[in-house]
Amino acid sequence: GPTRYEAESAVVSEGGTIDANHAGFSGTGFANGANAVGSYVEWQVTGPASALTFGYANGTAAARPVDISVDGTVVAAAVPFPATGAWTTWSTVARSVALPSGSHTVRVTATTADGPANLDYLDLSPEVRAS
Ligand code: GCU
């Protein structure tokens, strides 16, 4: 199964906080990134992996897009994190990414002044190998 990296163990850029005031999250909390362009949440992860899945909530009416970067290179631009209906309603956004073996930095960076959605975790799905 996937390997989970909780957002409460991630690095949050200036102005962001680790919160626990909206129930339903995994672990002990979630990352509430600052409401600003460039606001980010960054995880150190270990590959290999074939997909990234982000747990999140967005209690507003508008999607909260982020650039997803691996080791400083954007691998998916302006990926929308759609409204979930409430801050206590958690959903997922996933992207296929060929992540090689070893340590990597995965960062999501807000592309709008709303900042990122509230981020709960990053799951790495194991690489699928042909048998
Ligand atoms: C509310 C909510 C926060 C959220 C914020 C936002 O303040 O309680 O958890 O991060 O909105 O709009 O980003």
Side-chain angles (χ1 to χ4, degrees):
T3 302
R4 178 154 299 181
Y5 297 87
E6 293 287 352
E8 55 269 34
S9 304
V11 173
V12 181
S13 62
E14 186 178 352
T17 52
I18 302 298
D19 294 348
N21 60 331
H22 298 302
F25 51 81
S26 163
T28 61
F30 57 88
N32 170 2
N35 300 114
V37 174
S39 174
Y40 67 81
V41 178
E42 180 181 286
W43 287 266
Q44 288 296 326
V45 303
T46 303
S50 58
L52 308 177
T53 301
F54 298 90
Y56 81 100
N58 175 1
T60 73
R64 296 230 173 153
V66 295
D67 287 344
I68 301 172
S69 70
V70 175
D71 301 329
T73 298
V74 175
V75 297
V79 176
F81 280 57
T84 58
W87 291 111
T88 50
T89 301
W90 300 86
S91 187
T92 56
V93 165
R95 283 293 181 278
S96 295
V97 171
L99 203 70
S101 296
S103 182
H104 301 282
T105 302
V106 176
R107 182 186 285 200
V108 297
T109 304
T111 62
T112 75
D114 288 338
N118 286 350
L119 291 161
D120 186 15
Y121 60 81
L122 166 58
D123 274 352
L124 261 59
S125 299
E127 200 161 27
V128 179
R129 296 177 191 280
S131 54

